[in-house]
Amino acid sequence: MPYYLAERDKKIVVVSALGHLYTIAGERKGRNYYPVFNFRWVPRYIAERGATQIRTCIETISKLASEADLFIDACDYDIEGSVIGYCVLKYACGNKETISKRMKYSTLTKEELEKSYAELLPHLDFELIKAGGTRHEVDWLYGVNLSRALTIAARKWSGKYTTLSTGRVQGPALKFLVAREKDIRSFVPTPYWEIKAEFKINGSVFEAEYEKNKIETKSESDAILNMCEEEKGQVEKIVVRRFQQKPPVPFDLGTLQSEAYGLFGYTPKRTSNIAQRLYLEALISYPRTSSQKLPPEINYEAILKKLSKVHKYKKLAKELLAKTKLKPREGTKKDSAHPAIYSTGELPERELHDSEKRVFDLIARRFMAVFSEEAIKQSMKVHIKVNDHLFYLRGRQTLKEGWLHFYEPYVRSEEVFLPPIKEGQTIKVKKLISEDKFTKPPPRYNPSSLLKKMEETGIGTKATRANIIQTLYDRKYVREERMVVTNLGFEVLEVLEKHCPPVVSIELTSELEERMDKIQAKREKRENVLMDTVEILKPVVQELKEKEKIIGEQLSNAIKRAKLEERIVGTCPVCATGKLIILYSRKTGKRFIGCTNYFKGKCETSFPLPQKGSVRPHGRNCRGCGWPTVQVRIKGKHPWTLCFNPDCPSKKERRKK
Ligand SMILES: [Zn+2]
Ligand SMILES: [Zn+2]
């Protein structure tokens, strides 16, 4: 466990924690019982298996603390950091939380750390700590009771152990997904027709859309085609509109996550991990913020000057520095602890990974863009009349680039140039196109849109949402990027909705979030929130216990089906009715692929599989032969796709070479 020595007005020892060193545990040991309403805070190595490093860390801190006469908490200034620092001071240092001072900063640059050390806050932020502690306690009460109830019910029925989890926020998040999944499955697509016309103007062809987006019947669509084909159109009017596009607002964590998802396909969790690394190297400010404000104290000018040393930002930064006044455009969201995410102007001391480079650049450009001017655009809508039918030809042009020029790699260009056209002009219809389409179901959530939904409905916090989404994947309640709810996900939610609707209620969850926030503002008492939590949970857990048998049966069957589902590789290409599945030989224990129709005595198709590493269905078909494939993973190697078809043409080609 390393620590560092520094010399200022006196000798300073700097020692770090490893995230949370303390956590909540039930007063009674073991995991095989519920309900659990009595808890205490304990070192993590006592409550969690494998947390052995934590012991060394706590011992080191305790030893150093015994020789110290002054304590300063310099953990991240937010709800989690404050709880971490408080627990270390209270438990590892021996009740030093009341005399400790606090450093507050938003970047890890040398200047800001020096300043924050010189201007120490006189004491810890006890309201924030209380609010944070309560969150942990409430979440623990929900998680431990509900997850144990489900896990124990399933195990008692089947005799097999599978961790089933749900939590205060996880249940409601799953509920959003299930509701959407049901909408999608019950959606009945209706046909409609879409008509476009191609016009020839000055030798070039332009596509115009019909006045009505959706035409309900084929006969109506045909009639329009008959009326307009081979005809001439007349430009009836041209509507030109000029409008402004304001610069974007600075990034808070949520908008950074959603932008990085849209641009790079990074999950919210990945983005927050990358941002955390950039923050630790002092390249950006504290990322877990909900602020969209950039106060002048961060010194815009100094940051831009530093950024101007980077070749690709040089011109842009100089342009901003030449302005008489630097004023950022800001959003409405606030955060009392930190400003919005911004570049510190510090430059990386090592070669950044590609993903880090991308996020770094995105934040730097966003930071500059907010100081720039609005863009001015012009849209043009040309109304063309063909035998009483109206078509619209649209153009779009940027007149003044403004901030677009700063944020340019990350904005889609929407320029559509039109040739010079005059009202009254006659133009020829070159071709009419009618496409038959179907109305589409609502889209599935992806990690980014689910995170947004959670934000909007006020469930979870910026520090926890991304992890909760990851847990839904880890527990196999959802799969794929466009989140598909698995049977297991469906059944778990069904059990919860049927037997304990309060724990998946969106309203109750967001109400509880609000009350926990109020603790921080001294408008709510920790004791009341905890007491009410227990009151909600008591009858719920009681009901789960009484119905343990039915619930156990339902969940066990769902787990069994889920495990089978995981082994299905695809449709059998030989009999076309069975499914190919990964099986284990009774005799040798070796794995292979077989057809489910074998058990009905109908198909004997089977293929060998590699025995090393792990094999799982890939979900994609082979490009060479169209058969389903599996993915093989061996530790230390890149996973690869295996086509097990011995006659696959792509294999023969390779052999010839
Ligand atoms: Zn078969
Ligand atoms: Zn193949």
Side-chain angles (χ1 to χ4, degrees):
M1 187 65 214
Y3 54 89
Y4 310 89
L5 295 173
E7 201 74 53
R8 287 293 182 276
D9 44 337
K10 50 175 85 182
K11 210 169 118 191
I12 305 170
V13 182
V14 182
V15 61
S16 70
L18 296 163
H20 284 281
L21 297 183
Y22 293 84
T23 187
I24 302 165
E27 275 192 343
R28 222 178 97 198
K29 280 194 172 167
R31 293 156 193 267
N32 294 326
Y33 67 97
Y34 69 95
V36 201
F37 294 123
N38 297 321
F39 58 83
R40 59 205 168 106
W41 285 80
V42 296
R44 245 175 68 198
Y45 61 82
I46 290 180
E48 288 168 25
R49 265 169 267 177
T52 45
Q53 262 186 305
I54 302 283
R55 184 193 283 266
T56 329
C57 186
I58 291 176
E59 280 168 2
T60 309
I61 293 174
S62 298
K63 190 156 168 289
L64 293 169
S66 66
E67 291 155 30
D69 55 2
L70 185 68
F71 293 83
I72 300 169
D73 174 1
C75 290
D76 285 341
Y77 202 92
D78 71 357
I79 204 162
E80 296 304 320
S82 294
V83 172
I84 294 172
Y86 172 84
C87 287
V88 167
L89 286 160
K90 185 176 171 73
Y91 303 118
C93 301
N95 300 316
K96 294 298 187 300
E97 75 281 7
T98 48
I99 59 158
S100 173
K101 312 256 185 270
R102 183 74 161 107
M103 270 171 82
K104 185 181 180 183
Y105 52 83
S106 293
T107 70
L108 292 175
T109 57
K110 190 160 180 260
E111 301 92 76
E112 193 173 345
L113 290 179
E114 296 267 11
K115 186 166 175 279
S116 143
Y117 180 74
E119 298 165 8
L120 290 177
L121 303 182
H123 51 75
L124 305 184
D125 186 340
F126 290 104
E127 267 61 51
L128 190 62
I129 293 162
K130 215 181 263 174
T134 314
R135 269 186 184 280
H136 279 270
E137 289 156 0
V138 167
D139 285 351
W140 185 83
L141 285 168
Y142 265 81
V144 79
N145 282 296
L146 301 174
S147 301
R148 274 188 199 176
L150 299 184
T151 305
I152 291 171
R155 195 197 49 211
K156 275 194 185 161
W157 177 267
S158 67
K160 285 178 190 152
Y161 185 86
T162 303
T163 307
L164 288 166
S165 83
T166 185
R168 192 178 59 77
V169 181
Q170 199 189 321
L174 183 58
K175 191 170 168 175
F176 288 136
L177 294 164
V178 168
R180 180 61 59 89
E181 193 72 39
K182 283 184 179 161
D183 283 348
I184 292 170
R185 290 190 190 178
S186 61
F187 184 83
V188 183
T190 51
Y192 70 92
W193 284 261
E194 212 179 76
I195 292 181
K196 284 177 186 146
E198 285 184 353
F199 289 100
K200 202 162 188 178
I201 310 166
N202 293 353
S204 307
V205 175
F206 295 89
E207 199 179 77
E209 71 213 47
Y210 186 61
E211 56 186 307
K212 216 164 117 188
N213 295 335
K214 284 181 182 167
I215 295 153
E216 276 105 48
T217 62
K218 174 122 192 353
S219 56
E220 192 190 342
S221 162
D222 286 345
I224 297 163
L225 293 188
N226 281 334
M227 289 279 286
C228 304
E229 220 141 28
E230 312 266 306
E231 293 290 324
K232 280 201 172 102
Q234 193 161 42
V235 178
E236 203 183 54
K237 97 178 146 171
I238 300 171
V239 182
V240 178
R241 206 169 62 88
R242 253 177 216 204
F243 58 96
Q244 287 189 353
Q245 249 178 7
K246 287 200 175 140
V249 299
F251 278 134
D252 63 297
L253 181 63
T255 41
L256 173 65
Q257 283 169 323
S258 110
E259 191 88 329
Y261 181 80
L263 292 165
F264 317 132
Y266 297 166
T267 61
K269 190 173 155 79
R270 184 168 180 202
T271 300
S272 96
N273 288 346
I274 295 168
Q276 176 69 11
R277 289 204 294 275
L278 297 176
Y279 162 71
L280 287 177
E281 294 184 34
L283 303 173
I284 63 165
S285 64
Y286 193 63
R288 275 189 292 280
T289 173
S290 34
S291 167
Q292 297 175 327
K293 312 268 180 205
L294 290 175
E297 295 84 70
I298 68 169
N299 198 346
Y300 316 138
E301 204 182 323
I303 296 172
L304 289 170
K305 273 188 183 147
K306 286 185 191 166
L307 281 178
S308 72
K309 295 200 181 95
V310 183
H311 181 68
K312 61 177 170 178
Y313 304 142
K314 191 172 177 177
K315 249 185 81 195
L316 299 171
K318 291 240 155 109
E319 212 177 300
L320 292 175
L321 286 165
K323 292 176 100 168
T324 44
K325 197 167 174 248
L326 284 167
K327 194 177 178 301
R329 169 153 193 248
E330 295 182 318
T332 49
K333 287 166 85 187
K334 282 184 225 155
D335 188 322
S336 56
H338 297 280
I341 304 170
Y342 61 91
S343 298
T344 60
E346 298 292 316
L347 302 178
E349 285 174 3
R350 62 175 171 97
E351 175 81 3
L352 296 180
H353 296 292
D354 282 350
S355 56
E356 292 167 334
K357 269 188 206 156
R358 285 196 183 120
V359 174
F360 178 84
D361 186 61
L362 180 64
I363 293 169
R365 287 181 187 274
R366 182 78 161 212
F367 175 72
M368 291 189 281
V370 302
F371 292 100
S372 181
E373 273 129 44
E374 72 284 344
I376 296 175
K377 295 199 163 177
Q378 178 172 287
S379 73
M380 218 194 211
K381 190 174 174 189
V382 183
H383 298 230
I384 306 169
K385 197 139 222 182
V386 185
N387 274 341
D388 276 347
H389 291 280
L390 204 51
F391 290 86
Y392 300 131
L393 185 61
R394 290 174 196 274
R396 205 178 164 87
Q397 225 177 312
T398 305
L399 300 180
K400 187 185 126 192
E401 268 205 307
W403 65 272
L404 295 174
H405 156 62
F406 290 82
Y407 207 52
E408 179 246 315
Y410 305 121
V411 270
R412 237 180 297 140
S413 159
E414 294 162 324
E415 308 289 287
V416 183
F417 293 101
L418 295 182
I421 303 176
K422 273 193 272 197
E423 284 180 7
Q425 190 177 334
T426 307
I427 42 183
K428 191 164 171 11
V429 178
K430 189 177 167 271
K431 197 162 95 187
L432 278 169
I433 307 150
S434 162
E435 279 179 274
D436 49 335
K437 298 201 163 176
F438 284 93
T439 52
K440 285 206 181 76
R444 289 208 156 81
Y445 284 104
N446 59 45
S448 172
S449 58
L450 180 62
L451 188 118
K452 227 180 198 161
K453 179 81 181 171
M454 292 166 76
E455 254 181 30
E456 282 165 9
T457 43
I459 64 170
T461 65
K462 53 185 177 286
T464 55
R465 288 184 194 114
N467 285 326
I468 287 163
I469 294 172
Q470 186 56 46
T471 308
L472 293 173
Y473 281 102
D474 293 344
R475 295 284 179 243
K476 305 208 159 74
Y477 297 162
V478 295
R479 56 183 169 81
E480 292 174 39
E481 191 186 323
R482 285 273 161 195
M483 304 174 84
V484 181
V485 182
T486 61
N487 275 325
L488 187 58
F490 261 104
E491 307 266 353
V492 167
L493 189 77
E494 203 187 291
V495 165
L496 295 173
E497 271 198 308
K498 195 164 161 195
H499 302 288
C500 38
V503 306
V504 286
S505 156
I506 315 287
E507 294 73 35
L508 267 179
T509 306
S510 76
E511 192 192 303
L512 193 57
E513 300 280 2
E514 266 173 44
R515 289 183 64 191
M516 288 190 285
D517 284 343
K518 281 187 186 156
I519 295 176
Q520 200 175 325
K522 281 191 179 170
R523 285 187 285 129
E524 179 62 274
K525 281 211 169 89
R526 168 178 175 264
E527 294 71 27
N528 292 347
V529 173
L530 284 175
M531 233 156 54
D532 291 351
T533 301
V534 172
E535 285 317 305
I536 294 174
L537 285 173
K538 263 186 182 157
V540 160
V541 178
Q542 179 74 24
E543 164 94 7
L544 288 174
K545 196 154 228 158
E546 278 164 19
K547 304 275 170 61
E548 209 167 53
K549 234 178 165 175
I550 317 171
I551 292 171
E553 183 181 4
Q554 189 180 352
L555 291 175
S556 302
N557 289 337
I559 294 166
K560 222 166 142 187
R561 277 199 300 275
K563 290 203 165 142
L564 192 75
E565 226 176 88
E566 264 172 52
R567 285 162 44 204
I568 295 174
V569 179
T571 306
C572 172
V574 178
C575 68
T577 56
K579 294 258 186 268
L580 292 182
I581 182 169
I582 298 169
L583 292 166
Y584 291 83
S585 153
R586 284 237 173 108
K587 263 191 242 155
T588 60
K590 284 188 173 172
R591 68 178 164 220
F592 64 99
I593 284 180
C595 177
T596 46
N597 272 347
Y598 174 82
F599 304 102
K600 299 174 191 160
K602 281 194 212 151
C603 180
E604 294 204 346
T605 304
S606 83
F607 305 98
L609 278 176
Q611 301 302 319
K612 252 191 179 173
S614 75
V615 174
R616 58 181 194 118
H618 197 349
R620 277 185 216 156
N621 289 357
C622 171
R623 279 196 212 136
C625 64
W627 282 29
T629 57
V630 292
Q631 194 179 49
V632 189
R633 279 172 186 271
I634 292 178
K635 226 182 171 181
K637 284 187 187 173
H638 261 296
W640 74 90
T641 306
L642 174 75
C643 174
F644 46 83
N645 176 6
D647 299 320
C648 178
S650 67
K651 280 185 192 166
K652 282 186 185 143
E653 270 167 40
R654 216 174 302 145
R655 251 175 252 146
K656 262 187 232 162
K657 280 174 199 167

